[in-house]
Amino acid sequence: MRFRHPDGSLVHLAYCTNVHPAETVNGVLAQLRDHCEPVRRRLGRDRLGIGLWLARDAARALVIDPAALRGLRGELDRRGLEVVTLNGFLYDGYGAEEVKYRVYKPDWADPERLTHTTDLARVLAGLLPDDVTEGSISTLPLAWRTPYDDERATTALTALVTLAERLDALAELTGRSIRIGLEPEPGCTLETIADAIAPLSKIGHHRIGVCVDTCHLATSFEDPHTALDALTQARVPVVKSQLSAALHAEHPHLPEVREALAAFDEPRFLHQTRTATAAGLRGTDDLGEALHGDALPDASPWRAHFHVPLHAAPAAPLTSTLPVLESALTRLVGGPHPLTRHLEVETYTWRALPPALRPRARARLADGIAAELALTRDLLTDLGLKELP
């Protein structure tokens, strides 16, 4: 979906296809047919943006086979879909029964991460619409915090500098400018946006910036305006923003709240949980750790890294951090000039929801994704952006 900002610039809205993981090019083509086009039709749009997740094998196949890349681009066109952004966080295995910590491997200290992200950039340059010259890719925030030492940190930053040089060369060759956004996430080396400023300032390249995930922002209790103002002051670009909402429990000491939270403690994904105390942020790696024992103080609200559907907050006594998303969006695109032009709804946890909330049929999932995009569209138009055909 495309929007015209009051300053005249074009803002893109997509939804991320990691909600329907596929490891091969044929699997991606099936996604377009079975999921993405039905969502577009529900919204009554001739064109819908999607943020593709391409696993390692799929990305590599598209790089080595130009005909396959042309075929994917043609299929996007035929189904009324367009791609300006990729999700490059996970390497492979997103459809596994247990993802958990594997989502952070390989990290930026491993050569495979540089190779894969270079492949993604080459693919994206070939997928961009004819009238678009800028693409974005989100990636993990260097690494999970352990094991990570000074030597690995130096290796990771060196890899990003190498990537920036490759992106410069790609732009020279293709006329397409691809940028990379490190996505701060609880538990990682760069947990917050504040953590990301120093290393990105050290790299100091306009093609390497931040991907602001509003679920992660909320889980870490960062104030959106403070965080985004700090990025602006440091001249660190917001390459893209993933619009998502975390799980919020106002009174985690109550038994009924603990019981409601336990329904979201599922085995596939990691649900880092945080609380803000007078002594600073406290947290656990997963929701189950917070619920069992006294690992996390419960005198203040808890937030868990669980991407809940934007349009459907959990039933009381829980809620979502949608207000944080709204506040962030106001700062991102509600000012005289947008801080980013790539927005991506990223609710990948539909099938990890408690059974009563989980869509049981493909059509129900399409309904839900379309409802999330419709809500986001309304937020954007309320901020003065104009939806384009």
Short mmCIF file of all heavy atoms in Angstrom, two decimals, residues 246-305:
data_model
loop_
_atom_site.label_atom_id
_atom_site.label_comp_id
_atom_site.label_asym_id
_atom_site.label_seq_id
_atom_site.Cartn_x
_atom_site.Cartn_y
_atom_site.Cartn_z
N ALA A 246 3.27 -5.46 21.67
CA ALA A 246 3.66 -6.45 22.67
C ALA A 246 2.50 -6.76 23.60
O ALA A 246 1.48 -6.06 23.63
CB ALA A 246 4.85 -5.92 23.48
N LEU A 247 2.68 -7.80 24.39
CA LEU A 247 1.71 -8.21 25.40
C LEU A 247 1.97 -7.41 26.68
O LEU A 247 3.12 -7.35 27.15
CB LEU A 247 1.88 -9.71 25.65
CG LEU A 247 0.82 -10.45 26.47
CD1 LEU A 247 -0.53 -10.40 25.77
CD2 LEU A 247 1.25 -11.90 26.65
N HIS A 248 0.94 -6.79 27.25
CA HIS A 248 1.09 -5.94 28.43
C HIS A 248 0.21 -6.47 29.57
O HIS A 248 -0.97 -6.72 29.38
CB HIS A 248 0.68 -4.50 28.10
CG HIS A 248 0.80 -3.56 29.26
ND1 HIS A 248 1.91 -2.77 29.47
CD2 HIS A 248 -0.06 -3.27 30.28
CE1 HIS A 248 1.74 -2.03 30.56
NE2 HIS A 248 0.54 -2.32 31.07
N ALA A 249 0.83 -6.61 30.75
CA ALA A 249 0.11 -7.02 31.96
C ALA A 249 0.31 -5.94 33.02
O ALA A 249 1.42 -5.75 33.51
CB ALA A 249 0.62 -8.36 32.47
N GLU A 250 -0.74 -5.23 33.34
CA GLU A 250 -0.63 -4.10 34.26
C GLU A 250 -0.38 -4.55 35.70
O GLU A 250 0.36 -3.90 36.44
CB GLU A 250 -1.92 -3.25 34.19
CG GLU A 250 -1.87 -1.97 34.99
CD GLU A 250 -0.91 -0.94 34.41
OE1 GLU A 250 -0.54 -1.06 33.22
OE2 GLU A 250 -0.53 -0.01 35.15
N HIS A 251 -0.98 -5.67 36.09
CA HIS A 251 -0.87 -6.13 37.48
C HIS A 251 -0.40 -7.59 37.54
O HIS A 251 -1.18 -8.51 37.84
CB HIS A 251 -2.23 -5.99 38.19
CG HIS A 251 -2.77 -4.59 38.18
ND1 HIS A 251 -2.18 -3.56 38.88
CD2 HIS A 251 -3.83 -4.05 37.52
CE1 HIS A 251 -2.87 -2.44 38.68
NE2 HIS A 251 -3.87 -2.72 37.86
N PRO A 252 0.87 -7.84 37.25
CA PRO A 252 1.35 -9.22 37.13
C PRO A 252 1.38 -10.00 38.45
O PRO A 252 1.58 -11.22 38.42
CB PRO A 252 2.76 -9.05 36.57
CG PRO A 252 3.18 -7.69 37.00
CD PRO A 252 1.94 -6.86 36.96
N HIS A 253 1.16 -9.33 39.56
CA HIS A 253 1.15 -10.05 40.84
C HIS A 253 -0.16 -10.79 41.08
O HIS A 253 -0.23 -11.68 41.93
CB HIS A 253 1.39 -9.07 42.00
CG HIS A 253 0.29 -8.05 42.17
ND1 HIS A 253 0.15 -6.98 41.32
CD2 HIS A 253 -0.72 -7.95 43.08
CE1 HIS A 253 -0.89 -6.25 41.70
NE2 HIS A 253 -1.44 -6.83 42.76
N LEU A 254 -1.20 -10.46 40.32
CA LEU A 254 -2.51 -11.08 40.55
C LEU A 254 -2.57 -12.46 39.92
O LEU A 254 -2.13 -12.66 38.79
CB LEU A 254 -3.62 -10.20 39.95
CG LEU A 254 -3.80 -8.81 40.57
CD1 LEU A 254 -4.87 -8.02 39.81
CD2 LEU A 254 -4.16 -8.92 42.05
N PRO A 255 -3.15 -13.44 40.63
CA PRO A 255 -3.23 -14.81 40.09
C PRO A 255 -3.94 -14.89 38.74
O PRO A 255 -3.52 -15.64 37.85
CB PRO A 255 -3.99 -15.58 41.17
CG PRO A 255 -3.75 -14.80 42.43
CD PRO A 255 -3.66 -13.36 42.01
N GLU A 256 -5.00 -14.12 38.58
CA GLU A 256 -5.74 -14.19 37.32
C GLU A 256 -4.92 -13.63 36.16
O GLU A 256 -5.06 -14.07 35.01
CB GLU A 256 -7.09 -13.46 37.43
CG GLU A 256 -7.01 -11.99 37.76
CD GLU A 256 -7.09 -11.70 39.27
OE1 GLU A 256 -6.67 -12.57 40.05
OE2 GLU A 256 -7.58 -10.61 39.61
N VAL A 257 -4.04 -12.68 36.43
CA VAL A 257 -3.17 -12.15 35.40
C VAL A 257 -2.11 -13.18 35.02
O VAL A 257 -1.80 -13.39 33.84
CB VAL A 257 -2.52 -10.82 35.86
CG1 VAL A 257 -1.53 -10.32 34.82
CG2 VAL A 257 -3.60 -9.78 36.12
N ARG A 258 -1.55 -13.83 36.04
CA ARG A 258 -0.56 -14.90 35.77
C ARG A 258 -1.19 -16.01 34.93
O ARG A 258 -0.56 -16.53 33.99
CB ARG A 258 -0.05 -15.49 37.09
CG ARG A 258 0.73 -14.54 37.98
CD ARG A 258 2.06 -14.20 37.34
NE ARG A 258 2.91 -13.43 38.24
CZ ARG A 258 3.96 -13.90 38.89
NH1 ARG A 258 4.32 -15.16 38.74
NH2 ARG A 258 4.67 -13.13 39.67
N GLU A 259 -2.42 -16.35 35.24
CA GLU A 259 -3.11 -17.41 34.48
C GLU A 259 -3.32 -16.98 33.03
O GLU A 259 -3.12 -17.77 32.09
CB GLU A 259 -4.45 -17.73 35.13
CG GLU A 259 -5.21 -18.86 34.45
CD GLU A 259 -6.54 -19.16 35.13
OE1 GLU A 259 -6.83 -18.55 36.18
OE2 GLU A 259 -7.28 -20.02 34.60
N ALA A 260 -3.70 -15.71 32.83
CA ALA A 260 -3.90 -15.21 31.47
C ALA A 260 -2.59 -15.18 30.70
O ALA A 260 -2.54 -15.55 29.52
CB ALA A 260 -4.54 -13.83 31.52
N LEU A 261 -1.51 -14.79 31.35
CA LEU A 261 -0.20 -14.76 30.70
C LEU A 261 0.27 -16.17 30.33
O LEU A 261 0.89 -16.37 29.29
CB LEU A 261 0.83 -14.10 31.62
CG LEU A 261 0.80 -12.58 31.72
CD1 LEU A 261 1.72 -12.12 32.84
CD2 LEU A 261 1.22 -11.94 30.40
N ALA A 262 -0.03 -17.13 31.18
CA ALA A 262 0.42 -18.51 30.94
C ALA A 262 -0.12 -19.05 29.62
O ALA A 262 0.52 -19.91 28.99
CB ALA A 262 0.01 -19.40 32.10
N ALA A 263 -1.27 -18.55 29.16
CA ALA A 263 -1.84 -19.02 27.90
C ALA A 263 -0.97 -18.61 26.71
O ALA A 263 -1.06 -19.20 25.64
CB ALA A 263 -3.25 -18.48 27.73
N PHE A 264 -0.12 -17.59 26.90
CA PHE A 264 0.76 -17.11 25.84
C PHE A 264 2.17 -17.70 25.94
O PHE A 264 3.03 -17.39 25.10
CB PHE A 264 0.84 -15.59 25.86
CG PHE A 264 -0.42 -14.91 25.41
CD1 PHE A 264 -1.47 -14.70 26.30
CD2 PHE A 264 -0.58 -14.50 24.09
CE1 PHE A 264 -2.64 -14.08 25.88
CE2 PHE A 264 -1.74 -13.88 23.67
CZ PHE A 264 -2.78 -13.67 24.56
N ASP A 265 2.41 -18.54 26.92
CA ASP A 265 3.72 -19.18 27.09
C ASP A 265 3.74 -20.44 26.24
O ASP A 265 3.32 -21.51 26.66
CB ASP A 265 3.94 -19.51 28.57
CG ASP A 265 5.26 -20.21 28.81
OD1 ASP A 265 6.19 -20.01 28.00
OD2 ASP A 265 5.36 -20.95 29.81
N GLU A 266 4.23 -20.29 25.01
CA GLU A 266 4.17 -21.39 24.04
C GLU A 266 5.59 -21.78 23.63
O GLU A 266 6.53 -21.04 23.85
CB GLU A 266 3.29 -21.00 22.85
CG GLU A 266 3.69 -19.72 22.15
CD GLU A 266 4.82 -19.91 21.16
OE1 GLU A 266 4.83 -20.96 20.49
OE2 GLU A 266 5.69 -19.04 21.07
N PRO A 267 5.76 -22.96 23.02
CA PRO A 267 7.11 -23.52 22.84
C PRO A 267 7.87 -23.08 21.59
O PRO A 267 9.05 -23.39 21.48
CB PRO A 267 6.82 -25.02 22.77
CG PRO A 267 5.46 -25.12 22.15
CD PRO A 267 4.70 -23.95 22.70
N ARG A 268 7.24 -22.37 20.66
CA ARG A 268 7.92 -22.12 19.39
C ARG A 268 8.88 -20.93 19.46
O ARG A 268 10.04 -21.04 19.06
CB ARG A 268 6.90 -21.90 18.28
CG ARG A 268 7.56 -21.55 16.94
CD ARG A 268 6.56 -21.54 15.82
NE ARG A 268 6.08 -22.88 15.51
CZ ARG A 268 5.21 -23.16 14.55
NH1 ARG A 268 4.71 -22.19 13.82
NH2 ARG A 268 4.82 -24.39 14.34
N PHE A 269 8.38 -19.79 19.94
CA PHE A 269 9.17 -18.56 19.88
C PHE A 269 9.62 -18.12 21.27
O PHE A 269 9.01 -18.47 22.28
CB PHE A 269 8.37 -17.43 19.22
CG PHE A 269 7.92 -17.73 17.83
CD1 PHE A 269 6.58 -17.90 17.53
CD2 PHE A 269 8.85 -17.87 16.81
CE1 PHE A 269 6.16 -18.18 16.24
CE2 PHE A 269 8.44 -18.15 15.50
CZ PHE A 269 7.09 -18.31 15.23
N LEU A 270 10.66 -17.30 21.29
CA LEU A 270 11.16 -16.74 22.54
C LEU A 270 10.33 -15.49 22.86
O LEU A 270 10.15 -14.63 22.00
CB LEU A 270 12.63 -16.36 22.36
CG LEU A 270 13.52 -16.30 23.61
CD1 LEU A 270 13.57 -17.65 24.30
CD2 LEU A 270 14.93 -15.86 23.22
N HIS A 271 9.86 -15.40 24.10
CA HIS A 271 9.03 -14.27 24.52
C HIS A 271 9.70 -13.56 25.70
O HIS A 271 9.29 -13.72 26.86
CB HIS A 271 7.62 -14.74 24.87
CG HIS A 271 6.93 -15.45 23.74
ND1 HIS A 271 6.62 -14.81 22.56
CD2 HIS A 271 6.52 -16.73 23.60
CE1 HIS A 271 6.03 -15.68 21.73
NE2 HIS A 271 5.96 -16.84 22.34
N GLN A 272 10.75 -12.81 25.38
CA GLN A 272 11.47 -12.07 26.40
C GLN A 272 10.49 -11.18 27.17
O GLN A 272 9.61 -10.55 26.57
CB GLN A 272 12.56 -11.20 25.77
CG GLN A 272 13.58 -11.97 24.94
CD GLN A 272 13.24 -12.04 23.48
OE1 GLN A 272 12.11 -12.35 23.12
NE2 GLN A 272 14.21 -11.74 22.61
N THR A 273 10.64 -11.14 28.49
CA THR A 273 9.70 -10.42 29.36
C THR A 273 10.47 -9.41 30.20
O THR A 273 11.54 -9.72 30.72
CB THR A 273 8.93 -11.41 30.24
OG1 THR A 273 8.28 -12.38 29.38
CG2 THR A 273 7.85 -10.70 31.05
N ARG A 274 9.92 -8.20 30.30
CA ARG A 274 10.61 -7.12 30.98
C ARG A 274 9.67 -6.37 31.92
O ARG A 274 8.45 -6.33 31.71
CB ARG A 274 11.16 -6.10 29.96
CG ARG A 274 12.20 -6.67 28.99
CD ARG A 274 13.52 -6.95 29.69
NE ARG A 274 14.57 -7.40 28.80
CZ ARG A 274 14.84 -8.67 28.52
NH1 ARG A 274 14.07 -9.63 29.05
NH2 ARG A 274 15.84 -9.01 27.72
N THR A 275 10.27 -5.76 32.96
CA THR A 275 9.56 -4.85 33.83
C THR A 275 10.49 -3.70 34.19
O THR A 275 11.71 -3.90 34.29
CB THR A 275 9.03 -5.54 35.10
OG1 THR A 275 8.21 -4.63 35.85
CG2 THR A 275 10.18 -6.02 35.99
N ALA A 276 9.93 -2.52 34.33
CA ALA A 276 10.73 -1.34 34.69
C ALA A 276 10.63 -1.12 36.20
O ALA A 276 9.54 -0.98 36.75
CB ALA A 276 10.21 -0.12 33.94
N THR A 277 11.77 -1.14 36.87
CA THR A 277 11.82 -0.95 38.32
C THR A 277 12.62 0.31 38.64
O THR A 277 13.27 0.89 37.77
CB THR A 277 12.49 -2.15 39.01
OG1 THR A 277 13.90 -2.12 38.75
CG2 THR A 277 11.92 -3.48 38.50
N ALA A 278 12.59 0.70 39.90
CA ALA A 278 13.35 1.88 40.33
C ALA A 278 14.84 1.67 40.09
O ALA A 278 15.59 2.63 39.90
CB ALA A 278 13.07 2.17 41.79
N ALA A 279 15.28 0.42 40.10
CA ALA A 279 16.69 0.11 39.91
C ALA A 279 17.05 -0.11 38.44
O ALA A 279 18.18 -0.44 38.11
CB ALA A 279 17.06 -1.13 40.72
N GLY A 280 16.07 0.05 37.55
CA GLY A 280 16.31 -0.15 36.13
C GLY A 280 15.49 -1.28 35.56
O GLY A 280 14.64 -1.88 36.25
N LEU A 281 15.74 -1.61 34.30
CA LEU A 281 14.99 -2.64 33.60
C LEU A 281 15.41 -4.01 34.09
O LEU A 281 16.60 -4.30 34.22
CB LEU A 281 15.23 -2.53 32.11
CG LEU A 281 14.18 -3.12 31.16
CD1 LEU A 281 12.86 -2.39 31.30
CD2 LEU A 281 14.67 -3.00 29.71
N ARG A 282 14.46 -4.88 34.41
CA ARG A 282 14.73 -6.26 34.78
C ARG A 282 14.01 -7.16 33.79
O ARG A 282 12.96 -6.80 33.24
CB ARG A 282 14.20 -6.55 36.20
CG ARG A 282 14.92 -5.80 37.30
CD ARG A 282 16.24 -6.46 37.67
NE ARG A 282 16.02 -7.85 38.09
CZ ARG A 282 15.64 -8.20 39.33
NH1 ARG A 282 15.40 -7.28 40.25
NH2 ARG A 282 15.48 -9.49 39.63
N GLY A 283 14.57 -8.36 33.55
CA GLY A 283 13.93 -9.20 32.56
C GLY A 283 14.33 -10.66 32.62
O GLY A 283 15.25 -11.05 33.34
N THR A 284 13.61 -11.46 31.86
CA THR A 284 13.91 -12.87 31.66
C THR A 284 13.94 -13.14 30.16
O THR A 284 13.37 -12.40 29.37
CB THR A 284 12.85 -13.78 32.31
OG1 THR A 284 11.56 -13.48 31.74
CG2 THR A 284 12.78 -13.56 33.82
N ASP A 285 14.60 -14.24 29.79
CA ASP A 285 14.69 -14.58 28.37
C ASP A 285 13.37 -15.07 27.80
O ASP A 285 13.14 -14.96 26.60
CB ASP A 285 15.76 -15.66 28.15
CG ASP A 285 17.16 -15.11 28.17
OD1 ASP A 285 17.32 -13.88 28.32
OD2 ASP A 285 18.11 -15.90 28.03
N ASP A 286 12.50 -15.63 28.65
CA ASP A 286 11.25 -16.17 28.15
C ASP A 286 10.14 -15.95 29.17
O ASP A 286 10.39 -15.75 30.37
CB ASP A 286 11.40 -17.66 27.84
CG ASP A 286 10.56 -18.11 26.65
OD1 ASP A 286 9.68 -17.34 26.22
OD2 ASP A 286 10.77 -19.23 26.14
N LEU A 287 8.91 -15.99 28.67
CA LEU A 287 7.75 -15.72 29.52
C LEU A 287 7.61 -16.77 30.62
O LEU A 287 7.28 -16.43 31.76
CB LEU A 287 6.48 -15.66 28.67
CG LEU A 287 5.16 -15.41 29.37
CD1 LEU A 287 5.19 -14.12 30.18
CD2 LEU A 287 4.02 -15.36 28.35
N GLY A 288 7.90 -18.03 30.29
CA GLY A 288 7.78 -19.08 31.30
C GLY A 288 8.68 -18.86 32.49
O GLY A 288 8.30 -19.14 33.64
N GLU A 289 9.89 -18.34 32.24
CA GLU A 289 10.81 -18.06 33.35
C GLU A 289 10.25 -16.99 34.27
O GLU A 289 10.44 -17.04 35.49
CB GLU A 289 12.16 -17.58 32.80
CG GLU A 289 12.90 -18.58 31.94
CD GLU A 289 14.11 -17.95 31.28
OE1 GLU A 289 14.83 -17.19 31.96
OE2 GLU A 289 14.34 -18.19 30.08
N ALA A 290 9.56 -16.01 33.71
CA ALA A 290 8.98 -14.95 34.53
C ALA A 290 7.81 -15.46 35.36
O ALA A 290 7.59 -15.02 36.49
CB ALA A 290 8.52 -13.81 33.62
N LEU A 291 7.06 -16.40 34.80
CA LEU A 291 5.85 -16.88 35.48
C LEU A 291 6.14 -17.86 36.61
O LEU A 291 5.32 -18.01 37.51
CB LEU A 291 4.92 -17.55 34.45
CG LEU A 291 4.26 -16.61 33.45
CD1 LEU A 291 3.55 -17.41 32.36
CD2 LEU A 291 3.27 -15.69 34.15
N HIS A 292 7.28 -18.52 36.54
CA HIS A 292 7.57 -19.56 37.53
C HIS A 292 8.66 -19.06 38.48
O HIS A 292 9.78 -18.79 38.07
CB HIS A 292 8.00 -20.85 36.85
CG HIS A 292 6.94 -21.40 35.94
ND1 HIS A 292 7.05 -21.35 34.56
CD2 HIS A 292 5.74 -21.95 36.20
CE1 HIS A 292 5.97 -21.89 34.02
NE2 HIS A 292 5.16 -22.25 35.00
N GLY A 293 8.30 -18.94 39.75
CA GLY A 293 9.26 -18.48 40.73
C GLY A 293 9.27 -16.96 40.83
O GLY A 293 8.32 -16.28 40.43
N ASP A 294 10.37 -16.43 41.33
CA ASP A 294 10.46 -14.99 41.56
C ASP A 294 11.57 -14.36 40.72
O ASP A 294 12.27 -13.45 41.16
CB ASP A 294 10.71 -14.71 43.04
CG ASP A 294 11.95 -15.43 43.57
OD1 ASP A 294 12.59 -16.15 42.78
OD2 ASP A 294 12.26 -15.26 44.77
N ALA A 295 11.73 -14.87 39.50
CA ALA A 295 12.79 -14.36 38.63
C ALA A 295 12.57 -12.91 38.23
O ALA A 295 13.52 -12.20 37.93
CB ALA A 295 12.88 -15.24 37.37
N LEU A 296 11.33 -12.46 38.24
CA LEU A 296 11.01 -11.10 37.79
C LEU A 296 10.12 -10.42 38.83
O LEU A 296 9.09 -10.96 39.22
CB LEU A 296 10.28 -11.17 36.45
CG LEU A 296 10.27 -9.91 35.58
CD1 LEU A 296 11.68 -9.48 35.22
CD2 LEU A 296 9.45 -10.15 34.33
N PRO A 297 10.51 -9.23 39.30
CA PRO A 297 9.65 -8.50 40.24
C PRO A 297 8.28 -8.23 39.63
O PRO A 297 8.17 -7.98 38.42
CB PRO A 297 10.41 -7.18 40.47
CG PRO A 297 11.81 -7.46 40.07
CD PRO A 297 11.75 -8.49 38.99
N ASP A 298 7.23 -8.29 40.45
CA ASP A 298 5.89 -8.14 39.89
C ASP A 298 5.11 -6.98 40.50
O ASP A 298 3.89 -6.94 40.47
CB ASP A 298 5.10 -9.43 40.03
CG ASP A 298 4.94 -9.88 41.48
OD1 ASP A 298 5.33 -9.12 42.39
OD2 ASP A 298 4.42 -11.00 41.69
N ALA A 299 5.83 -5.99 41.03
CA ALA A 299 5.15 -4.82 41.58
C ALA A 299 4.79 -3.80 40.51
O ALA A 299 3.98 -2.90 40.75
CB ALA A 299 6.03 -4.17 42.66
N SER A 300 5.41 -3.92 39.34
CA SER A 300 5.16 -3.01 38.22
C SER A 300 4.72 -3.82 37.00
O SER A 300 4.91 -5.04 36.95
CB SER A 300 6.42 -2.22 37.89
OG SER A 300 6.83 -1.44 39.00
N PRO A 301 4.16 -3.16 35.99
CA PRO A 301 3.68 -3.89 34.81
C PRO A 301 4.77 -4.70 34.12
O PRO A 301 5.95 -4.33 34.14
CB PRO A 301 3.19 -2.76 33.89
CG PRO A 301 2.82 -1.64 34.81
CD PRO A 301 3.81 -1.72 35.93
N TRP A 302 4.34 -5.81 33.51
CA TRP A 302 5.21 -6.63 32.68
C TRP A 302 4.83 -6.43 31.22
O TRP A 302 3.67 -6.22 30.88
CB TRP A 302 5.03 -8.12 32.99
CG TRP A 302 5.61 -8.59 34.28
CD1 TRP A 302 6.24 -7.86 35.24
CD2 TRP A 302 5.58 -9.94 34.76
NE1 TRP A 302 6.62 -8.67 36.29
CE2 TRP A 302 6.23 -9.95 36.01
CE3 TRP A 302 5.08 -11.13 34.25
CZ2 TRP A 302 6.39 -11.12 36.76
CZ3 TRP A 302 5.22 -12.30 34.98
CH2 TRP A 302 5.88 -12.29 36.23
N ARG A 303 5.86 -6.54 30.37
CA ARG A 303 5.61 -6.60 28.93
C ARG A 303 6.39 -7.77 28.36
O ARG A 303 7.55 -7.99 28.73
CB ARG A 303 6.03 -5.30 28.25
CG ARG A 303 5.09 -4.14 28.56
CD ARG A 303 5.55 -2.85 27.94
NE ARG A 303 4.61 -1.76 28.22
CZ ARG A 303 4.83 -0.48 27.93
NH1 ARG A 303 5.97 -0.14 27.32
NH2 ARG A 303 3.93 0.43 28.21
N ALA A 304 5.76 -8.51 27.47
CA ALA A 304 6.38 -9.70 26.87
C ALA A 304 6.47 -9.53 25.36
O ALA A 304 5.56 -9.01 24.71
CB ALA A 304 5.58 -10.96 27.21
N HIS A 305 7.59 -10.01 24.83
CA HIS A 305 7.84 -9.96 23.39
C HIS A 305 6.98 -11.03 22.71
O HIS A 305 7.45 -12.10 22.35
CB HIS A 305 9.33 -10.18 23.14
CG HIS A 305 9.69 -10.32 21.70
ND1 HIS A 305 10.64 -11.21 21.26
CD2 HIS A 305 9.23 -9.69 20.59
CE1 HIS A 305 10.75 -11.14 19.95
NE2 HIS A 305 9.91 -10.23 19.52
#
